[in-house]
Amino acid sequence: MAKLKDQNINQDALSKAAYSLFDFTKKEKSFLLIVCILVSVAGIITPYTYAAMWFGFMLAAYSAIANDSIQTIGTFIASNQNRKWYFLWLFMGLIFVGTVTYSWFRYDGDVSYQRLQVDGLDQAPQSFVFLQIAAPIVLLVMTRLRMPVSTTFLLLNVFTYKAGTIMGVMQKSFIGYLLAFIMAIIVWYVLEKFVTNYLKGKPRNYWYFLQWITSGCLWAVWIMQDAANIAVFLPRQLDVWEFSAYTGFVFLGLGVLFYVKGDKIQGIVNEKTRVTDVRAATIVDLVYAVILFYFKAYSNMPMSTTWVFIGLLGGRELSIALAKSKKLKKRKARLVRAYRLAKNDLVKAGIGLIVSLILALIINEGVRQEIFEMIF
């Protein structure tokens, strides 16, 4: 009887999984067709280095910013839903142009703020393999599934020729997650009474001004950290035409992203407590910007800003649950909700990390040899 019951449970689980897959393919027919076309083009274009370079860059530019939009412009979109999309686009787009232009002048053609000058990433690709071009397509699919995947892991790891660099990126990212989680618990536990007592009703106009300033600063700091994920396909020093193409394409891609209001992955931000309130969004952006700026100044080693962000949101939800609920029953319910949200984000980010490591091992012989030597 017990075996029969277990079999029924397994069959039910498989039926649900099969139905979910069927439902996804039915709803996303157009998207899956685009993915098939992109995969086909990637397979055809890979042997042609120059064309593959720009094709990979364009895929990486849109997929990376679309996935990471939850971290930077996600709260900005969520709390400005009543404003015209093109005003939001021009504001963030011009900040992008100004930030990368400074890096291009300051670092002799490098738009990554020297993130691509670290050992293991300092050499531009001389040729490409199919999986390197396909990595941004994998990221597009994961974004469509609302998975907050680390673009740093998924895009940079497939180009890293040293295992030590991968380990350095992972270490810095995990420390960032823990720091953001702890800092969020402290900040929101202290602020919860202030938020509850004073931030009531309709926000005053100056809050919108403050949020635009903090969101702009966060966006600029994020570009300093994660522009490397997009530029990794390109030469490490761009000439004026290459820089114009790089900047222009990303600027237009941002317009598409604002037009669709962040697309599917925006739901990860919207489901969190009170982020559609401009005051709460301002506090989230400010704390996140401070953490990213600290790590930018700490070292040139790239890091996953996604892991920092999900740590921040996870700690924030836990802190709100602890501070807001006086009754034990309500507190338990809120803690369970906070735990589930944090766990879901962490599991999805972990899947992205595993996928990136597998791709890195398949593509890079040097990485395989280093890991083999470390193990044996």
Side-chain angles (χ1 to χ4, degrees):
M1 287 292 291
K3 286 185 177 179
L4 184 61
K5 188 176 180 181
D6 289 341
Q7 286 177 353
N8 289 335
I9 292 171
N10 290 334
Q11 286 175 356
D12 288 342
L14 286 171
S15 298
K16 286 180 181 178
Y19 177 77
S20 297
L21 182 62
F22 174 77
D23 189 50
F24 175 76
T25 55
K26 186 179 178 181
K27 288 180 179 178
E28 302 289 352
K29 284 190 293 186
S30 299
F31 173 74
L32 292 174
L33 177 62
I34 293 171
V35 168
C36 290
I37 293 171
L38 291 175
V39 170
S40 301
V41 173
I44 294 169
I45 210 170
T46 297
Y48 306 98
T49 302
Y50 191 75
M53 176 185 77
W54 284 106
F55 182 70
F57 154 73
M58 287 188 286
L59 288 176
Y62 185 77
S63 61
I65 293 176
N67 191 279
D68 284 358
S69 67
I70 61 164
Q71 311 167 27
T72 50
I73 56 180
T75 52
F76 185 68
I77 291 172
S79 56
N80 286 279
Q81 292 178 0
N82 60 332
R83 299 183 184 275
K84 299 292 186 182
W85 67 270
Y86 44 82
F87 290 130
L88 309 182
W89 165 47
L90 288 174
F91 178 70
M92 290 299 191
L94 291 175
I95 289 175
F96 169 80
V97 172
T99 305
V100 295
T101 300
Y102 175 81
S103 179
W104 185 66
F105 276 110
R106 176 72 176 79
Y107 301 111
D108 193 26
D110 177 20
V111 293
S112 73
Y113 281 80
Q114 297 189 305
R115 294 297 179 270
L116 293 178
Q117 301 303 318
V118 299
D119 198 22
L121 288 167
D122 54 324
Q123 297 178 15
Q126 300 302 312
S127 61
F128 294 92
V129 299
F130 171 74
L131 288 177
Q132 287 175 321
I133 306 299
I137 303 175
V138 174
L139 183 57
L140 276 175
V141 174
M142 289 182 163
T143 302
R144 196 72 175 182
L145 293 170
R146 291 182 57 193
M147 297 179 69
V149 182
S150 168
T151 57
T152 301
F153 289 145
L154 196 55
L155 296 179
L156 291 190
N157 281 358
V158 298
F159 288 96
T160 306
Y161 58 87
K162 289 194 174 183
T165 304
I166 295 177
M167 297 301 293
V169 172
M170 289 174 60
Q171 182 183 33
K172 189 175 179 183
S173 301
F174 295 156
I175 292 172
Y177 177 88
L178 290 173
L179 178 63
F181 189 82
I182 294 168
M183 192 170 174
I185 291 175
I186 296 170
V187 169
W188 269 277
Y189 192 82
V190 171
L191 288 179
E192 183 56 30
K193 288 185 179 179
F194 171 77
V195 171
T196 304
N197 294 331
Y198 297 101
L199 302 186
K200 295 179 180 179
K202 190 177 180 181
R204 295 178 182 272
N205 289 333
Y206 65 80
W207 274 105
Y208 291 98
F209 173 76
L210 289 174
Q211 199 237 352
W212 281 56
I213 296 298
T214 54
S215 294
C217 292
L218 170 60
W219 175 234
V221 177
W222 179 87
I223 293 165
M224 296 173 194
Q225 283 282 5
D226 274 18
N229 302 344
I230 303 169
V232 68
F233 284 86
L234 303 177
R236 296 300 177 255
Q237 274 76 39
L238 304 181
D239 63 31
V240 65
W241 299 112
E242 291 168 338
F243 173 73
S244 299
Y246 167 85
T247 307
F249 183 82
V250 175
F251 182 78
L252 294 175
L254 282 171
V256 175
L257 193 64
F258 276 104
Y259 180 75
V260 298
K261 297 186 182 298
D263 207 10
K264 298 280 186 180
I265 203 164
Q266 182 66 23
I268 292 174
V269 174
N270 294 341
E271 71 186 4
K272 300 299 188 290
T273 307
R274 287 200 306 259
V275 292
T276 54
D277 188 313
V278 68
R279 295 161 295 196
T282 301
I283 298 171
V284 171
D285 287 353
L286 178 61
V287 176
Y288 187 35
V290 170
I291 295 171
L292 287 190
F293 187 78
Y294 167 76
F295 279 107
K296 176 199 172 293
Y298 180 73
S299 74
N300 286 335
M301 179 66 72
M303 69 178 296
S304 170
T305 55
T306 300
W307 281 72
V308 176
F309 186 69
I310 62 175
L312 181 69
L313 288 187
R316 176 180 178 270
E317 291 295 314
L318 178 61
S319 182
I320 290 173
L322 288 170
K324 193 172 183 179
S325 307
K326 294 181 180 179
K327 293 183 179 180
L328 185 62
K329 193 174 181 180
K330 283 188 175 181
R331 177 174 290 188
K332 283 184 178 179
R334 287 182 179 274
L335 285 174
V336 168
R337 178 182 181 274
Y339 168 75
R340 284 177 179 169
L341 287 173
K343 185 191 74 171
N344 289 341
D345 289 347
L346 196 58
V347 167
K348 290 174 181 177
I351 291 171
L353 172 59
I354 293 170
V355 170
S356 72
L357 290 174
I358 292 171
L359 289 174
L361 287 172
I362 293 172
I363 293 169
N364 299 308
E365 185 179 352
V367 172
R368 289 199 301 271
Q369 289 178 348
E370 280 191 54
I371 292 177
F372 183 81
E373 290 172 2
M374 282 192 292
I375 296 174
F376 300 101

